Every structure is written in C-alpha cells, then in structure tokens.
Amino acid sequence: MPNVLSVDGEVADCTVNERELRITTLGREQKETTATLDDVIRIETNAIELNASTDQSKSTKPKWLCKVHYITRKKLIWKQATLCITGQVLECQQFVSDLQLHFQKVYDQRPKRLLVLVNPTSGGRYGHSNWRKVLPLFELAHITCDVKVSEREKHMEEIVTEYDLSTVDGIVVFGGDGSVSEVLNRVLRITNDKAGLNYNEMDGPFTANTIPIGTIPSGTGNGMAAGLYGNHDIVTAALHIIKGNTRMLPLMAEYSSNELLGYSSAVTAYGLFTDMMYYTDQKRWMGRARYAIMPLYILLWKTQRLFNAEITIRTRQKKQADDEEETEVEEKLDGEFTTVGFFPGQVFGLTTGQMVALIYRQTPRLDFLRMISYQFTQQLPREEDFPTVTIRQPSSLRIKVNPKDLGDENCLNYMMHIDGEIHTMKEADVTIKLLSNACKVYSSMYTDTDSQAHITGDSANTSASVSPPDKKMATDNEELKNA
C-alpha cells in the first residue's frame, strides 16, 4: 500500500516491497523513481523523527525522517544518490520500518569487514588519493576497513601471508593489474596449501579461493577492473564491492620445470609482448611516458625477434553438435614465431569460460596494430584476415623453445609476461592451462552466457560455488557489449 510522503520536497506515493522501493511524485508531471533494495547503500534515520513535518512553508525547512542512499547508473558508470523522505510521523515511521525490514535481508549478505591493500607507487601514485576518495562510500555502507599500505616490492604478498583472513569478508586492492596479480597469486597458493593440494602439479586437483577479491583501479594497467566492472571508474568499482555480489573468474595457470609460475587473469605472453615489457623497464628515466613510447617504438621500428619453438595446442571439442561428451584434440605447430599471447575470452566478446590464443609468425607490423584494434571492438579476429596468425581457443597450450644465443639479452629466452609482470623460467618450456571458475571476485557484472561450460574439462578438479546473478546483471551485460 502506498504512503503519501514528501520526497526531496515533492509530495509522492512511496511503496516498498521485498524487492524494490518505488516513488511516484504527484505533481502535474508524474515522475517515477525505482531503486531495487539490492542497490540501496544505506538507510539513514533522523534522531529527532518525532519532529518530522511536511510543512513546506518558506520559513520552515522540512526535517528529514529518512535518507535513502542508493546507486544510480548511466550505462556502466555507477554513482551514489540520496533521497530525503519526510512526512506525518506515524505514516513515516511505518514506511521506514517496512523499508528497513526488507533492506536488512540484503544488508546481511554484504561484507562488513575488509582487508584493504594500498599500493602507493602504482601507476601515477594514485593509490592513496583514490583511497581517500572512496573511503566515505565504505563508511556510508557501514563497512570496516583494515588498511595496509605496501612499503616495498612484494610487501602485499607478505601481508596476505601473515594476515588472518578468517577475520575479514574480503580483500580490496588499490593498485593495477600487477598488484592484483600479486595478491591473487598469494591467496590461491594459501587456499590450496590449506586444502592439502600441491599447486605445482599441473594436472592435479585445484580449489578456488573462498574469500572474494576486489580492486579499485589505481595502476598503469587496469585490465582486471575493466573486466569486473566494465570501466576504470573508482566509484563504480567501490559500489560493486559494497553490494557484495560475487562471481567466479577463470584464470590461466602457467607451469614451467614442474613448478607453477603464476596465475593470470588479464594477459599472458611469450615473445614480443614480453620483450616490450623488458625494454620498457630499462627506460625508467623516461617516467610514465615509457609505457606509451617504448611499445610503439618496439612494435613499429625495432626488428622483430624470432624464436624457434614447437607449440602444442590442446582443444576440447564435442564429438557431435548435440553430444555433451567432449574429446581432446591435439595440434602441433613448429618453426619460428614472434609472439604467443593469451587473453580472456571476454576481450574478444566470448564468454569468460574461454581463452583466446594468438600465435604470430613473422607478422607485418600493420597486422599487429589491426589485431589490437579487435580488442577495442570486442570481436574475435578471423584467420583468413591474418595469414601469419594462428587463432585458437585452447584448454591448454605448451611452448617448447629452442633458445638462441642473444648475448647480453639471453635472458629474453626465459621470460614470460604474466599480468603486467615479468616471470623468469629455469627452462624455455612453459605450459599454459585454462582453469574454469578459479577465483572468487567482487562483481555484479555477469558476462557469461554459458558460465557453466567447462572447456578444459577440469570441473571435477575445481571446487567453487557461483553466487546468484544480480538483478541488474542482465542489463549491465548488455551495456558492456554496447560500450
């Protein structure tokens, strides 16, 4: 039953049920505002509620009885908005009581305490300033944050290792892809250690983390945040975390010399892309400009380094179109290549349960630029448009390199690019494997149309649970495709 109250100074019908709050102004031009309770951040009540009044005279400003802080959306950008509600005391109190009763069910499912890790040197040193900007949102949502600031390289890893993660509901990282990868890799190792599993066994069992991880984009590369929230907006990211919805993220696991090199969520590469990172790191005197200048220089003017390798691609395929049973198909490529890159499926408009491998032979420079453009349009390239590029969606892929003598740069034979960081191998031999549903993260984006499709067939070795999709996920998914 609607309650006639005053909302932001306008008389309106206010209705609340277990799903949403609906407000319809009663003026000449009726305007309706609807907020799902899942989008409500906080309900704030006035301590002097008995003095609440609908008196709209010029001499008396109406005192608010209730403020509803909630999320508004403009495409994929989320913002905080507030409704100020007043009215006759009894009617107002009944409305607020109903609203709080229904909202409590939502609030009970949200995080109450978070471990917040801040990288003060990531990107343009935005970690601290971004934390100060979004801190009021976490306070508004009644979330307690235990803030730890990274003081040196790998310090976040040390903090996570020593911290009692059972005392918090989740982890939030203020940093770029490198910072998130550092935390994610440590958490997954801890999780599998506690489960008695050997994460170095490539074909062994694996379990996902139970504590969700979120990120506030504050680095040079923020691909993880873009995949989770559809953009790099820090307020949007904070509101996703506050809502507390989680989803399972697939990862790529890299193994070499019977050891786990790392888990990646954004990009893994061997060859040219790794060389770009290596040479860019050598030009620290250029400051942040090196991240724009050096890749272009290497891509457009520097001679491409070729490596000799045997590449084994394994893909799971159904025997027949209507058959649920899958079989593994193996394909081998050998010769000289410039780079092998691995990207999550959603980069090219596929489901997040897939991985796209791009294997370049000696490729014209213009084709490199054309291929990059496909990532911005979220389209999967066609092999017929790129004769020197092999495009696959594998469950695993092995690169066995015959190292060349590169003199002072011989180390390039043994380097892998994993989520913005360079990892060194003992041997020039690496296997990348796709792990479905491998990492729990904070996100209300739901981009899987086939989230339960286990392309790698490793579902039996993965213990994870998928949270119910958010009420707005379908809308967000459509906007992500159109963004």
Side-chain angles (χ1 to χ4, degrees), residues 62 176 272 294 324 355 359 412 472:
L272 178 62
M294 290 307 297
E324 292 185 2
M355 173 178 75
I359 305 167
L412 291 174
K472 294 286 187 179

Side-chain angles (χ1 to χ4, degrees), residues 271-306 338 365 405-413 415 417 420-422:
L272 178 62
F273 295 157
T274 308
D275 296 356
M276 285 183 183
M277 287 207 62
Y278 172 78
Y279 290 119
T280 297
D281 195 55
Q282 305 302 307
K283 303 295 182 181
R284 287 184 173 271
W285 58 268
M286 297 173 65
R288 295 191 69 203
R290 69 186 186 275
Y291 294 111
I293 295 173
M294 290 307 297
L296 282 176
Y297 166 74
I298 294 166
L299 188 60
L300 298 178
W301 288 286
K302 189 174 177 63
T303 303
Q304 294 178 10
R305 176 175 73 89
L306 296 174
T338 57
R365 300 181 193 275
D405 184 3
L406 302 176
D408 294 340
E409 297 175 344
N410 205 52
C411 58
L412 291 174
N413 285 312
M415 287 185 173
H417 171 189
E421 299 290 328
I422 290 179

Side-chain angles (χ1 to χ4, degrees), residues 248 250 316-318 324 326 351 353-354 395 434-438 450-464 466:
M248 300 308 297
R316 284 200 167 270
Q317 297 180 357
K318 293 182 178 180
E324 292 185 2
E326 291 181 328
T351 71
Q354 295 173 283
S395 58
L434 177 65
L435 299 175
S436 300
N437 295 331
D450 186 18
S451 63
Q452 300 302 317
H454 299 285
I455 295 176
T456 61
D458 60 1
S459 56
N461 295 332
T462 304
S463 67
V466 181

Side-chain angles (χ1 to χ4, degrees), residues 146-157:
D146 188 2
V147 183
K148 306 290 184 182
V149 179
S150 174
E151 299 174 356
R152 56 188 176 274
E153 188 176 356
K154 299 298 181 182
H155 190 202
M156 285 187 177
E157 185 176 305

Side-chain angles (χ1 to χ4, degrees), residues 52 58 70 72 77 143 248-249 257 276 293 335 344 404 443:
K58 295 181 180 179
Y70 68 106
T72 62
I77 300 294
I143 295 177
M248 300 308 297
L249 194 71
S257 303
M276 285 183 183
I293 295 173
K404 294 182 179 180
S443 174

